[in-house]
Amino acid sequence: MRIAVVLQDRCQNRKCNHECERFCPLMRTGVECITWGERGKPVISEALCQGCGICVNKCQFDAIRIIGLADELKTELIHQYGENSFRLYRLPLPRKGMITGILGPNGIGKTTAIRILSGSEIPNLGDYTAPPSKEKVLEHFAGTDMQTYLSDVYAGKIKVALKPQYVDKLPATVKGVVRDLLGKVQERMTLEEAAGMFELTEVLDRELDKLSGGELQRLAMAATMMKEADVYFFDEPTSYLDIYQRVRMARLIKTLAAEKQVVVIEHDLAVLDYLADNVNVVYGTEGAYGVFTMARQVRTAINVYLDGYLPEENIRFRDRPIEFEASPPRGDWKTADLVEFDHVTKDFGGFRLEIGKGSVKIGESVGVVGPNATGKTTFVKMLAGVIEPDGGSIDARMKVSYKPQYISMEAEGTVQELLYASAYETVTSNFFQGEVIAPLGLKGLMEKEVRNLSGGELQRLAITLCLANDADIYLFDEPSAYLDSNQRMNTAKTIRRMMEKTGRSAMVVDHDIYFLDMVSDSMMVFGGTPGQHGIGEGPFDMREGMNRFLAAVDITFRRDTETHRPRINKPESRLDREQKSRGEYYYA
Ligand code: ADP
Ligand code: SF4
């Protein structure tokens, strides 16, 4: 079976010479394989197309996908948005008393599946011109658990609750203070109980637009879990939370799952691993098609995902496996110091920050960990000379390029226009194209309007803009937010390689342990009392940095026997206690 997809947001039919039509060998012999649709975009006949792939290569905007799929998928088409549009094959099934995880790249149908499972979208089974009725859909699934599930959803016998992905959009749609919002959903617990459980007590009377990302996330999770429902969908429940809060949130979800059905989309693999029982890996091509694979036990699912190969399906979806080192990298850096600092302090009145003695080396990527509001950004601003320290010394003032935690871009125009306007020379150089634009997957975004970008696309653009600036030190504040697991690994490698090759340095604040493991040469650890007293120490080598950081949040990791990837230990388990007594929280 062959499918042809025209990515509508990439196709620039007014800017090109209709290369797809001109070069299609069938068109040249008079076979009408490509016609022109209503909006002037090409329509490729899947019945006629021979799959030569010439149009795919000729399209200068990379807007066409011609993909051969296994024939057996034909009968498992769940939904198709239109002609030459995205197709979803198979669905995951929520199970009682279990947490079902969904793991796969962005733009591959996870949200579509959740919309179908929650009853807000009726699957058309591929018939987008005359969509089937609910009855026909149920007939299609006759005799399966999916039929039972969907018929209960359609009959209102199953109630669903959904935590949406983009919590930073909440203040735009919901007005008022936290207390008002939570007051309306006191079904499974009271406002006070929820406030305590989700650490919201201090912000109950705060307006939503004054909340941090982490607070918005906890608020959205609280509001969802307070509802009385049968199935709960959580789309990225932990972005913007620090690791301590991530593990805490995972425990709350586990408690809920003891009596309810829970489905979770989560890109932090350490958290997904700790949280889910079964995981459905989704593979496919962004914007073109997605296939839900059978539920696997969580450990196996993450291992095959990292390996890039699904043995049962015989599908390779990544060229090479993602690997972890069980022992820390050697800490003996040969390069000189870029900057040294010694007992730097800053007092803002309400907030006091103290930094120990340390240095950042040329070419080094420093992972920066610790709770929010402990002074990480303030410290980097002092390095930049934007904020004057009250005490201590910093031996050099550096040019800093900064990617903030929350990105909003109101810029008019396309991604390419914005990149060219910011740093034309750099962005168009072969070096930058190969080292940044390609691995971050920006090529396909160039013609998109900046204001239409999704959260993950915006994140990749912001990271690119940050790297395109000329600076001595690059600061990335939570670059992993809204990126899928694959993009996180690519981003980590990109940042680290750029620093090595250009001899600049980076500080990367993040909470995703796998991401930190991949991006960091060393670690700076922040602690203290958030919002009141921050203490920053390091950079330390990876072993010491991880140990100090994880000891503070009381979490240990063991290693997977096959892949060496880190896995969160159950608190008070034999390994947890044994590792704590040895002081080894992360490396074996
Ligand atoms: P994910 O949740 O995995 O990121 P989605 O389910 O949101 O993926 O989307 C999968 C693909 O379906 C997207 O790339 C998009 O192109 C397409 N899509 C989503 N909604 C629509 C729609 N209403 N009309 C047409 N295409 C859509
Ligand atoms: Fe024509 Fe199909 Fe070849 Fe594209 S892949 S050029 S539509 S035959």
Side-chain angles (χ1 to χ4, degrees):
M1 168 180 55
R2 183 177 303 125
I3 64 169
V5 178
V6 179
L7 302 172
Q8 301 292 323
D9 53 348
R10 291 194 185 183
C11 173
Q12 302 290 324
N13 52 304
R14 289 202 187 82
K15 291 192 195 164
C16 77
N17 299 314
H18 293 189
E19 282 86 354
C20 51
E21 180 184 34
R22 284 186 28 228
F23 288 96
C24 174
L26 293 176
M27 295 299 290
R28 296 176 149 203
T29 57
V31 180
E32 289 274 292
C33 180
I34 299 181
T35 52
W36 296 88
E38 276 168 33
R39 290 165 60 216
K41 311 245 166 164
V43 178
I44 302 175
S45 160
E46 288 176 5
L48 296 173
C49 168
Q50 312 252 300
C52 68
I54 291 177
C55 58
V56 178
N57 293 323
K58 289 289 175 190
C59 174
Q60 50 181 312
F61 296 109
D62 191 22
I64 300 176
R65 300 283 178 274
I66 308 281
I67 301 165
L69 291 180
D71 279 328
E72 66 254 29
L73 285 176
K74 210 175 251 171
T75 53
E76 303 201 67
L77 180 56
I78 301 291
H79 195 72
Q80 179 170 354
Y81 281 111
E83 191 163 24
N84 294 154
S85 281
F86 181 82
R87 268 157 259 215
L88 178 69
Y89 296 91
R90 301 192 187 129
L91 282 174
L93 185 69
R95 301 228 180 246
K96 207 167 204 135
M98 275 210 176
I99 301 184
T100 305
I102 297 181
L103 174 56
N106 286 330
I108 209 166
K110 300 184 299 299
T111 311
T112 306
I114 285 192
R115 286 171 49 77
I116 292 171
L117 292 176
S118 60
S120 60
E121 175 109 43
I122 309 298
N124 63 23
L125 309 172
D127 196 349
Y128 46 86
T129 46
S133 62
K134 288 179 185 170
E135 290 69 32
K136 281 267 182 285
V137 170
L138 295 177
E139 251 172 57
H140 172 84
F141 290 110
T144 65
D145 291 343
M146 189 54 75
Q147 181 195 27
T148 320
Y149 173 85
L150 282 179
S151 74
D152 284 351
V153 171
Y154 295 160
K157 279 196 241 161
I158 286 185
K159 265 192 74 184
V160 299
L162 168 72
K163 200 290 291 178
Q165 182 182 24
Y166 297 118
V167 292
D168 33 8
K169 301 249 168 69
L170 266 182
T173 47
V174 186
K175 296 281 163 248
V177 299
V178 172
R179 184 187 296 280
D180 305 338
L181 191 129
L182 293 183
K184 292 189 196 121
V185 284
Q186 306 185 70
E187 294 168 14
R188 289 184 61 246
M189 53 187 114
T190 64
L191 184 133
E192 287 73 25
E193 284 167 341
M197 208 183 258
F198 292 88
E199 301 181 298
L200 291 166
T201 310
E202 298 203 350
V203 296
L204 275 179
D205 292 301
R206 208 169 284 172
E207 299 280 337
L208 261 60
D209 58 10
K210 301 273 170 349
L211 297 184
S212 71
E215 287 159 349
L216 283 169
Q217 184 71 270
R218 298 203 301 281
L219 169 63
M221 287 299 290
T224 314
M225 280 207 231
M226 286 167 83
K227 285 190 194 134
E228 188 60 62
D230 305 287
V231 191
Y232 292 79
F233 295 98
F234 300 115
D235 196 345
E236 298 196 29
T238 70
S239 34
Y240 297 134
L241 301 184
D242 62 40
I243 177 134
Y244 168 79
Q245 294 166 329
R246 284 177 192 208
V247 171
R248 204 182 138 95
M249 187 63 76
R251 287 188 194 136
L252 290 174
I253 298 175
K254 276 173 186 265
T255 314
L256 175 77
E259 37 179 313
K260 307 286 188 179
Q261 303 172 48
V262 174
V263 179
V264 180
I265 298 177
E266 177 59 64
H267 300 295
D268 180 330
L269 294 181
V271 172
L272 180 72
D273 186 38
Y274 180 67
L275 176 63
D277 297 300
N278 284 333
V279 169
N280 295 85
V281 174
V282 201
Y283 70 89
T285 302
E286 187 185 347
Y289 80 103
V291 182
F292 271 85
T293 63
M294 60 177 187
R296 289 175 163 86
Q297 198 265 332
V298 61
R299 171 176 172 258
T300 322
I302 294 179
N303 284 357
V304 294
Y305 184 77
L306 292 173
D307 193 34
Y309 177 69
L310 299 163
E312 286 87 350
E313 292 84 357
N314 189 20
I315 297 278
R316 173 157 296 286
F317 56 90
R318 200 183 315 103
D319 291 342
R320 59 179 83 163
I322 294 168
E323 284 163 341
F324 290 87
E325 301 292 337
S327 45
R330 288 170 50 212
D332 48 353
W333 274 76
K334 300 238 167 24
T335 57
D337 287 340
L338 174 75
V339 57
E340 285 175 46
F341 43 86
D342 197 359
H343 295 94
V344 177
T345 59
K346 181 74 203 174
D347 201 329
F348 286 120
F351 179 76
R352 198 156 49 83
L353 176 63
E354 288 166 44
I355 305 289
K357 183 175 161 63
S359 68
V360 178
K361 298 196 184 318
I362 290 171
E364 188 177 29
S365 294
V366 183
V368 183
V369 292
N372 292 327
T374 48
K376 301 186 288 287
T377 308
T378 306
F379 172 59
V380 176
K381 285 190 177 156
M382 291 198 285
L383 292 183
V386 178
I387 296 177
E388 276 303 312
D390 297 332
S393 67
I394 298 175
D395 78 339
R397 288 301 146 88
M398 294 162 302
K399 236 173 41 203
V400 174
S401 177
Y402 174 50
K403 186 208 80 72
Q405 186 176 23
Y406 311 112
I407 316 159
S408 72
M409 287 191 207
E410 302 301 326
E412 285 287 315
T414 65
V415 169
Q416 176 157 299
E417 283 162 4
L418 180 61
L419 283 170
Y420 282 7
S422 316
Y424 181 82
E425 296 276 309
T426 308
V427 170
T428 51
S429 70
N430 283 339
F431 175 74
F432 199 82
Q433 289 280 328
E435 293 294 332
V436 180
I437 301 282
L440 293 189
L442 249 73
K443 281 225 169 74
L445 301 182
M446 288 298 179
E447 298 298 322
K448 267 197 164 182
E449 293 287 325
V450 172
R451 60 188 146 74
N452 291 339
L453 295 180
S454 71
E457 292 169 342
L458 207 54
Q459 186 69 269
R460 286 181 285 144
L461 172 60
I463 294 166
T464 306
L465 281 167
C466 180
L467 286 169
N469 287 334
D470 182 31
D472 304 302
I473 190 159
Y474 294 79
L475 172 69
F476 300 92
D477 200 348
E478 204 162 352
S480 76
Y482 299 133
L483 297 184
D484 65 43
S485 316
N486 230 358
Q487 290 166 340
R488 288 177 192 205
M489 316 289 169
N490 289 339
T491 303
K493 279 192 216 139
T494 301
I495 292 175
R496 200 161 168 179
R497 228 180 12 229
M498 274 295 279
M499 297 309 129
E500 259 173 48
K501 291 197 176 173
T502 59
R504 307 295 156 88
S505 307
M507 302 193 92
V508 187
V509 180
D510 211 278
H511 304 294
D512 179 325
I513 283 283
Y514 285 19
F515 180 78
L516 283 164
D517 188 308
M518 298 210 157
V519 81
S520 319
D521 297 306
S522 60
M523 259 189 175
M524 191 149 180
V525 183
F526 279 70
T529 314
Q532 293 172 27
H533 183 199
I535 301 165
E537 290 174 293
F540 303 106
D541 65 39
M542 287 301 284
R543 170 174 249 136
E544 187 173 358
M546 281 290 193
N547 280 339
R548 279 174 179 253
F549 163 56
L550 293 174
V553 290
D554 203 31
I555 295 168
T556 59
F557 283 78
R558 66 185 178 285
R559 292 293 166 151
D560 184 68
T561 41
E562 267 174 50
T563 61
H564 301 306
R565 72 179 166 86
R567 308 188 70 194
I568 299 175
N569 282 323
K570 277 212 176 63
E572 290 306 310
S573 63
R574 186 186 56 80
L575 275 176
D576 183 60
R577 279 180 290 145
E578 193 252 329
Q579 283 182 242
K580 277 176 188 164
S581 73
R582 280 194 295 128
E584 287 291 4
Y585 284 72
Y586 192 70
Y587 293 104

PDB file of all heavy atoms in Angstrom, residues 10 12 15-20 22 55-64 443-444 446-447:
ATOM      1  N   ARG A  10       3.443  23.375   4.478  1.00  0.00           N
ATOM      2  CA  ARG A  10       4.740  23.567   3.821  1.00  0.00           C
ATOM      3  C   ARG A  10       4.587  23.954   2.356  1.00  0.00           C
ATOM      4  O   ARG A  10       5.410  24.684   1.810  1.00  0.00           O
ATOM      5  CB  ARG A  10       5.563  22.283   3.892  1.00  0.00           C
ATOM      6  CG  ARG A  10       6.001  21.979   5.295  1.00  0.00           C
ATOM      7  CD  ARG A  10       7.078  20.924   5.280  1.00  0.00           C
ATOM      8  NE  ARG A  10       7.415  20.547   6.641  1.00  0.00           N
ATOM      9  CZ  ARG A  10       8.356  19.692   6.942  1.00  0.00           C
ATOM     10  NH1 ARG A  10       9.049  19.109   5.994  1.00  0.00           N
ATOM     11  NH2 ARG A  10       8.627  19.409   8.195  1.00  0.00           N
ATOM     12  N   GLN A  12       4.040  25.660  -0.876  1.00  0.00           N
ATOM     13  CA  GLN A  12       3.992  27.088  -1.230  1.00  0.00           C
ATOM     14  C   GLN A  12       3.700  27.187  -2.718  1.00  0.00           C
ATOM     15  O   GLN A  12       4.548  27.593  -3.503  1.00  0.00           O
ATOM     16  CB  GLN A  12       5.341  27.753  -0.918  1.00  0.00           C
ATOM     17  CG  GLN A  12       5.783  27.633   0.522  1.00  0.00           C
ATOM     18  CD  GLN A  12       4.929  28.469   1.437  1.00  0.00           C
ATOM     19  OE1 GLN A  12       4.498  29.556   1.069  1.00  0.00           O
ATOM     20  NE2 GLN A  12       4.658  27.950   2.628  1.00  0.00           N
ATOM     21  N   LYS A  15       4.825  30.173  -4.633  1.00  0.00           N
ATOM     22  CA  LYS A  15       6.238  30.553  -4.703  1.00  0.00           C
ATOM     23  C   LYS A  15       7.051  29.592  -5.561  1.00  0.00           C
ATOM     24  O   LYS A  15       8.235  29.824  -5.776  1.00  0.00           O
ATOM     25  CB  LYS A  15       6.843  30.581  -3.300  1.00  0.00           C
ATOM     26  CG  LYS A  15       6.316  31.695  -2.418  1.00  0.00           C
ATOM     27  CD  LYS A  15       7.194  31.806  -1.173  1.00  0.00           C
ATOM     28  CE  LYS A  15       6.495  32.635  -0.106  1.00  0.00           C
ATOM     29  NZ  LYS A  15       7.111  32.450   1.207  1.00  0.00           N
ATOM     30  N   CYS A  16       6.460  28.458  -5.996  1.00  0.00           N
ATOM     31  CA  CYS A  16       7.270  27.470  -6.709  1.00  0.00           C
ATOM     32  C   CYS A  16       6.862  27.390  -8.175  1.00  0.00           C
ATOM     33  O   CYS A  16       5.965  28.092  -8.626  1.00  0.00           O
ATOM     34  CB  CYS A  16       7.147  26.102  -6.050  1.00  0.00           C
ATOM     35  SG  CYS A  16       5.601  25.252  -6.420  1.00  0.00           S
ATOM     36  N   ASN A  17       7.523  26.519  -8.910  1.00  0.00           N
ATOM     37  CA  ASN A  17       7.211  26.349 -10.332  1.00  0.00           C
ATOM     38  C   ASN A  17       6.443  25.054 -10.574  1.00  0.00           C
ATOM     39  O   ASN A  17       6.543  24.465 -11.638  1.00  0.00           O
ATOM     40  CB  ASN A  17       8.509  26.338 -11.146  1.00  0.00           C
ATOM     41  CG  ASN A  17       9.265  27.634 -10.987  1.00  0.00           C
ATOM     42  OD1 ASN A  17       8.677  28.709 -11.067  1.00  0.00           O
ATOM     43  ND2 ASN A  17      10.565  27.537 -10.692  1.00  0.00           N
ATOM     44  N   HIS A  18       5.721  24.632  -9.567  1.00  0.00           N
ATOM     45  CA  HIS A  18       4.943  23.395  -9.665  1.00  0.00           C
ATOM     46  C   HIS A  18       5.815  22.232 -10.148  1.00  0.00           C
ATOM     47  O   HIS A  18       5.467  21.506 -11.054  1.00  0.00           O
ATOM     48  CB  HIS A  18       3.727  23.593 -10.594  1.00  0.00           C
ATOM     49  CG  HIS A  18       2.725  24.538 -10.017  1.00  0.00           C
ATOM     50  ND1 HIS A  18       1.494  24.742 -10.566  1.00  0.00           N
ATOM     51  CD2 HIS A  18       2.777  25.340  -8.917  1.00  0.00           C
ATOM     52  CE1 HIS A  18       0.824  25.648  -9.832  1.00  0.00           C
ATOM     53  NE2 HIS A  18       1.597  26.022  -8.840  1.00  0.00           N
ATOM     54  N   GLU A  19       6.981  22.114  -9.470  1.00  0.00           N
ATOM     55  CA  GLU A  19       7.937  21.070  -9.854  1.00  0.00           C
ATOM     56  C   GLU A  19       7.327  19.670  -9.772  1.00  0.00           C
ATOM     57  O   GLU A  19       7.646  18.800 -10.578  1.00  0.00           O
ATOM     58  CB  GLU A  19       9.182  21.132  -8.959  1.00  0.00           C
ATOM     59  CG  GLU A  19      10.166  22.230  -9.322  1.00  0.00           C
ATOM     60  CD  GLU A  19       9.834  23.567  -8.666  1.00  0.00           C
ATOM     61  OE1 GLU A  19       8.768  23.672  -8.020  1.00  0.00           O
ATOM     62  OE2 GLU A  19      10.631  24.511  -8.815  1.00  0.00           O
ATOM     63  N   CYS A  20       6.452  19.460  -8.777  1.00  0.00           N
ATOM     64  CA  CYS A  20       5.878  18.119  -8.627  1.00  0.00           C
ATOM     65  C   CYS A  20       5.190  17.704  -9.930  1.00  0.00           C
ATOM     66  O   CYS A  20       5.399  16.589 -10.429  1.00  0.00           O
ATOM     67  CB  CYS A  20       4.917  18.065  -7.449  1.00  0.00           C
ATOM     68  SG  CYS A  20       3.659  19.342  -7.400  1.00  0.00           S
ATOM     69  N   ARG A  22       5.591  19.153 -12.949  1.00  0.00           N
ATOM     70  CA  ARG A  22       6.465  19.199 -14.122  1.00  0.00           C
ATOM     71  C   ARG A  22       7.376  17.987 -14.233  1.00  0.00           C
ATOM     72  O   ARG A  22       7.716  17.532 -15.312  1.00  0.00           O
ATOM     73  CB  ARG A  22       7.299  20.481 -14.102  1.00  0.00           C
ATOM     74  CG  ARG A  22       6.447  21.683 -14.509  1.00  0.00           C
ATOM     75  CD  ARG A  22       7.240  22.972 -14.650  1.00  0.00           C
ATOM     76  NE  ARG A  22       8.631  22.809 -15.017  1.00  0.00           N
ATOM     77  CZ  ARG A  22       9.631  23.436 -14.384  1.00  0.00           C
ATOM     78  NH1 ARG A  22       9.374  24.223 -13.365  1.00  0.00           N
ATOM     79  NH2 ARG A  22      10.868  23.257 -14.778  1.00  0.00           N
ATOM     80  N   CYS A  55       8.859  13.655  -7.245  1.00  0.00           N
ATOM     81  CA  CYS A  55       8.225  14.880  -6.734  1.00  0.00           C
ATOM     82  C   CYS A  55       8.714  15.206  -5.314  1.00  0.00           C
ATOM     83  O   CYS A  55       8.907  16.366  -4.973  1.00  0.00           O
ATOM     84  CB  CYS A  55       6.706  14.763  -6.774  1.00  0.00           C
ATOM     85  SG  CYS A  55       6.065  13.365  -5.840  1.00  0.00           S
ATOM     86  N   VAL A  56       8.951  14.168  -4.506  1.00  0.00           N
ATOM     87  CA  VAL A  56       9.409  14.370  -3.136  1.00  0.00           C
ATOM     88  C   VAL A  56      10.744  15.115  -3.149  1.00  0.00           C
ATOM     89  O   VAL A  56      10.969  16.058  -2.397  1.00  0.00           O
ATOM     90  CB  VAL A  56       9.571  13.012  -2.413  1.00  0.00           C
ATOM     91  CG1 VAL A  56      10.106  13.196  -1.001  1.00  0.00           C
ATOM     92  CG2 VAL A  56       8.256  12.254  -2.406  1.00  0.00           C
ATOM     93  N   ASN A  57      11.637  14.685  -4.050  1.00  0.00           N
ATOM     94  CA  ASN A  57      12.949  15.311  -4.123  1.00  0.00           C
ATOM     95  C   ASN A  57      12.928  16.670  -4.809  1.00  0.00           C
ATOM     96  O   ASN A  57      13.740  17.533  -4.505  1.00  0.00           O
ATOM     97  CB  ASN A  57      13.924  14.392  -4.866  1.00  0.00           C
ATOM     98  CG  ASN A  57      14.188  13.140  -4.068  1.00  0.00           C
ATOM     99  OD1 ASN A  57      14.259  13.192  -2.835  1.00  0.00           O
ATOM    100  ND2 ASN A  57      14.289  12.001  -4.760  1.00  0.00           N
ATOM    101  N   LYS A  58      12.016  16.837  -5.768  1.00  0.00           N
ATOM    102  CA  LYS A  58      11.998  18.091  -6.519  1.00  0.00           C
ATOM    103  C   LYS A  58      11.337  19.227  -5.762  1.00  0.00           C
ATOM    104  O   LYS A  58      11.626  20.399  -6.014  1.00  0.00           O
ATOM    105  CB  LYS A  58      11.257  17.900  -7.866  1.00  0.00           C
ATOM    106  CG  LYS A  58      12.035  17.057  -8.868  1.00  0.00           C
ATOM    107  CD  LYS A  58      13.236  17.826  -9.401  1.00  0.00           C
ATOM    108  CE  LYS A  58      14.075  16.926 -10.320  1.00  0.00           C
ATOM    109  NZ  LYS A  58      15.355  17.534 -10.671  1.00  0.00           N
ATOM    110  N   CYS A  59      10.432  18.912  -4.883  1.00  0.00           N
ATOM    111  CA  CYS A  59       9.720  19.981  -4.156  1.00  0.00           C
ATOM    112  C   CYS A  59      10.711  20.746  -3.284  1.00  0.00           C
ATOM    113  O   CYS A  59      11.310  20.180  -2.379  1.00  0.00           O
ATOM    114  CB  CYS A  59       8.608  19.406  -3.281  1.00  0.00           C
ATOM    115  SG  CYS A  59       7.834  20.683  -2.259  1.00  0.00           S
ATOM    116  N   GLN A  60      10.883  22.041  -3.569  1.00  0.00           N
ATOM    117  CA  GLN A  60      11.895  22.807  -2.832  1.00  0.00           C
ATOM    118  C   GLN A  60      11.432  23.112  -1.403  1.00  0.00           C
ATOM    119  O   GLN A  60      12.224  23.550  -0.575  1.00  0.00           O
ATOM    120  CB  GLN A  60      12.232  24.084  -3.578  1.00  0.00           C
ATOM    121  CG  GLN A  60      11.001  24.877  -3.971  1.00  0.00           C
ATOM    122  CD  GLN A  60      11.339  26.141  -4.735  1.00  0.00           C
ATOM    123  OE1 GLN A  60      12.197  26.910  -4.324  1.00  0.00           O
ATOM    124  NE2 GLN A  60      10.682  26.344  -5.875  1.00  0.00           N
ATOM    125  N   PHE A  61      10.152  22.901  -1.100  1.00  0.00           N
ATOM    126  CA  PHE A  61       9.660  23.178   0.248  1.00  0.00           C
ATOM    127  C   PHE A  61       9.438  21.899   1.057  1.00  0.00           C
ATOM    128  O   PHE A  61       8.839  21.936   2.128  1.00  0.00           O
ATOM    129  CB  PHE A  61       8.377  24.018   0.170  1.00  0.00           C
ATOM    130  CG  PHE A  61       8.627  25.362  -0.441  1.00  0.00           C
ATOM    131  CD1 PHE A  61       8.155  25.666  -1.713  1.00  0.00           C
ATOM    132  CD2 PHE A  61       9.381  26.308   0.228  1.00  0.00           C
ATOM    133  CE1 PHE A  61       8.417  26.896  -2.296  1.00  0.00           C
ATOM    134  CE2 PHE A  61       9.642  27.540  -0.338  1.00  0.00           C
ATOM    135  CZ  PHE A  61       9.160  27.832  -1.606  1.00  0.00           C
ATOM    136  N   ASP A  62       9.889  20.779   0.496  1.00  0.00           N
ATOM    137  CA  ASP A  62       9.836  19.514   1.217  1.00  0.00           C
ATOM    138  C   ASP A  62       8.414  19.225   1.714  1.00  0.00           C
ATOM    139  O   ASP A  62       8.199  18.870   2.863  1.00  0.00           O
ATOM    140  CB  ASP A  62      10.816  19.586   2.407  1.00  0.00           C
ATOM    141  CG  ASP A  62      11.032  18.231   3.050  1.00  0.00           C
ATOM    142  OD1 ASP A  62      10.792  17.215   2.369  1.00  0.00           O
ATOM    143  OD2 ASP A  62      11.430  18.192   4.233  1.00  0.00           O
ATOM    144  N   ALA A  63       7.445  19.414   0.814  1.00  0.00           N
ATOM    145  CA  ALA A  63       6.038  19.341   1.233  1.00  0.00           C
ATOM    146  C   ALA A  63       5.366  18.022   0.864  1.00  0.00           C
ATOM    147  O   ALA A  63       4.196  17.826   1.180  1.00  0.00           O
ATOM    148  CB  ALA A  63       5.266  20.497   0.615  1.00  0.00           C
ATOM    149  N   ILE A  64       6.085  17.120   0.186  1.00  0.00           N
ATOM    150  CA  ILE A  64       5.422  15.896  -0.270  1.00  0.00           C
ATOM    151  C   ILE A  64       6.026  14.669   0.402  1.00  0.00           C
ATOM    152  O   ILE A  64       7.238  14.584   0.606  1.00  0.00           O
ATOM    153  CB  ILE A  64       5.528  15.766  -1.813  1.00  0.00           C
ATOM    154  CG1 ILE A  64       4.846  16.978  -2.464  1.00  0.00           C
ATOM    155  CG2 ILE A  64       4.891  14.464  -2.299  1.00  0.00           C
ATOM    156  CD1 ILE A  64       4.960  17.009  -3.971  1.00  0.00           C
ATOM    157  N   LYS A 443      14.558  22.950   8.713  1.00  0.00           N
ATOM    158  CA  LYS A 443      14.374  23.138   7.275  1.00  0.00           C
ATOM    159  C   LYS A 443      12.892  23.175   6.908  1.00  0.00           C
ATOM    160  O   LYS A 443      12.446  24.046   6.173  1.00  0.00           O
ATOM    161  CB  LYS A 443      15.052  21.998   6.511  1.00  0.00           C
ATOM    162  CG  LYS A 443      16.547  22.160   6.390  1.00  0.00           C
ATOM    163  CD  LYS A 443      17.030  21.847   4.964  1.00  0.00           C
ATOM    164  CE  LYS A 443      18.471  22.265   4.775  1.00  0.00           C
ATOM    165  NZ  LYS A 443      19.409  21.351   5.463  1.00  0.00           N
ATOM    166  N   GLY A 444      12.132  22.223   7.436  1.00  0.00           N
ATOM    167  CA  GLY A 444      10.721  22.133   7.093  1.00  0.00           C
ATOM    168  C   GLY A 444       9.875  23.253   7.669  1.00  0.00           C
ATOM    169  O   GLY A 444       8.702  23.371   7.332  1.00  0.00           O
ATOM    170  N   MET A 446      10.848  26.543   7.656  1.00  0.00           N
ATOM    171  CA  MET A 446      11.282  27.848   7.154  1.00  0.00           C
ATOM    172  C   MET A 446      10.159  28.734   6.617  1.00  0.00           C
ATOM    173  O   MET A 446      10.163  29.938   6.810  1.00  0.00           O
ATOM    174  CB  MET A 446      12.345  27.663   6.062  1.00  0.00           C
ATOM    175  CG  MET A 446      13.675  27.200   6.601  1.00  0.00           C
ATOM    176  SD  MET A 446      14.365  28.416   7.721  1.00  0.00           S
ATOM    177  CE  MET A 446      15.875  27.613   8.225  1.00  0.00           C
ATOM    178  N   GLU A 447       9.191  28.120   5.936  1.00  0.00           N
ATOM    179  CA  GLU A 447       8.138  28.923   5.305  1.00  0.00           C
ATOM    180  C   GLU A 447       6.946  29.148   6.221  1.00  0.00           C
ATOM    181  O   GLU A 447       5.980  29.805   5.852  1.00  0.00           O
ATOM    182  CB  GLU A 447       7.670  28.239   4.005  1.00  0.00           C
ATOM    183  CG  GLU A 447       8.746  28.101   2.951  1.00  0.00           C
ATOM    184  CD  GLU A 447       9.286  29.453   2.487  1.00  0.00           C
ATOM    185  OE1 GLU A 447       8.485  30.405   2.371  1.00  0.00           O
ATOM    186  OE2 GLU A 447      10.508  29.548   2.271  1.00  0.00           O
TER     187      GLU A 447
END
